[in-house]
Amino acid sequence: ALDPALLRSVKEAKEKAAIQAEEERRLSLLAEVKEYLSKALGKERPEAILSWMREHCPSESAGAQVTRAVLRCLLDGASDGAPNADAILGAIEKHKMLLQLYTEGTRKGDFSRQTQCLYEVQAYCFEHNFPAGLMKAVFRQLYDKDIVFQDAVAEWREDLTETPGKTKALVQVREFIEWLEEAEEESDEATEDD
């Protein structure tokens, strides 16, 4: 008879190898996505980019890393070295369907991908020393284009995990968050009046 400890050890090794292979596949796909987007954004039609992404990286199997990579490539591609608010806002408008695809939750009420999108904007602005008004403008554009919802903004704001530049980021988007809260209160009051 085979040694149960040996069988368990072999099974654990196979499981560990499968997990490692999946992680390597995921990292390889992420690198492929970043490379493609770095070249395609600004050159290819949005529809062609969307088609390539759907084929090579289906959104339902993509994680937060892909969401952040898509947005980062878009931010970097629009910036061309130095942050340019108009170019970034235009790129968000142009590629909103791509962003919506990778910020859509995997289940109802799941805003984690949208929240990761906001963290990527925070990281980008932190790395560029928070250009005046950029973070607020990008948050507003993401919200206006239905890429990020109010619940995601609340999750991002309320997350107490220490991330580089969070305090400064909160100051940068304070007016936007206040505007969102006022709009929600007005909406609630209008609903009560009906």
Side-chain angles (χ1 to χ4, degrees), residues 185-194:
E185 287 173 13
E186 289 173 11
S187 173
D188 289 346
E189 289 171 8
T191 305
E192 290 173 9
D193 291 344
D194 289 345

Side-chain angles (χ1 to χ4, degrees), residues 103-115 149 155:
T103 56
E104 197 172 83
T106 54
R107 63 191 179 284
K108 188 172 174 37
D110 177 17
F111 301 101
S112 60
R113 289 182 181 183
Q114 293 178 18
T115 304
F149 301 139
E155 279 182 21

Side-chain angles (χ1 to χ4, degrees), residues 96-110:
K96 78 178 189 177
M97 289 179 64
L98 176 67
L99 291 167
Q100 287 169 338
L101 181 65
Y102 290 98
T103 56
E104 197 172 83
T106 54
R107 63 191 179 284
K108 188 172 174 37
D110 177 17

Side-chain angles (χ1 to χ4, degrees), residues 151-163:
D151 291 329
V153 175
E155 279 182 21
W156 172 82
R157 182 189 72 218
E158 294 164 8
D159 184 0
L160 300 177
T161 307
E162 191 57 40
T163 54

Side-chain angles (χ1 to χ4, degrees), residues 19-31 56 61:
I19 290 169
Q20 186 175 354
E22 177 59 25
E23 182 62 21
E24 287 173 7
R25 185 198 67 75
R26 203 173 298 129
L27 289 173
S28 174
L29 177 62
L30 186 61
H56 291 86
S61 62

Side-chain angles (χ1 to χ4, degrees), residues 152-178:
V153 175
E155 279 182 21
W156 172 82
R157 182 189 72 218
E158 294 164 8
D159 184 0
L160 300 177
T161 307
E162 191 57 40
T163 54
K166 180 69 178 261
T167 303
K168 186 152 187 173
L170 286 166
V171 170
Q172 292 268 317
V173 298
R174 182 181 50 81
E175 288 177 14
F176 169 70
I177 290 173
E178 288 172 358

Side-chain angles (χ1 to χ4, degrees), residues 142-155:
L142 292 169
Y143 176 78
D144 287 346
K145 300 303 173 194
D146 294 325
I147 296 163
V148 168
F149 301 139
Q150 187 168 354
D151 291 329
V153 175
E155 279 182 21

Side-chain angles (χ1 to χ4, degrees), residues 5-70:
L6 179 63
L7 288 174
R8 199 171 28 260
S9 165
V10 168
K11 182 180 177 188
E12 288 172 2
K14 283 183 179 180
E15 288 172 356
K16 187 176 179 180
I19 290 169
Q20 186 175 354
E22 177 59 25
E23 182 62 21
E24 287 173 7
R25 185 198 67 75
R26 203 173 298 129
L27 289 173
S28 174
L29 177 62
L30 186 61
E32 183 181 0
V33 164
K34 287 178 179 178
E35 182 180 343
Y36 170 75
L37 289 174
S38 295
K39 293 176 183 173
L41 288 168
K43 294 177 183 80
E44 299 284 333
R45 291 183 352 274
E47 300 79 20
I49 294 171
L50 194 57
S51 176
W52 188 94
M53 289 294 292
R54 281 186 171 135
E55 182 181 330
H56 291 86
C57 187
S59 66
E60 53 277 354
S61 62
Q65 288 180 316
V66 172
T67 299
R68 290 184 74 143
V70 168

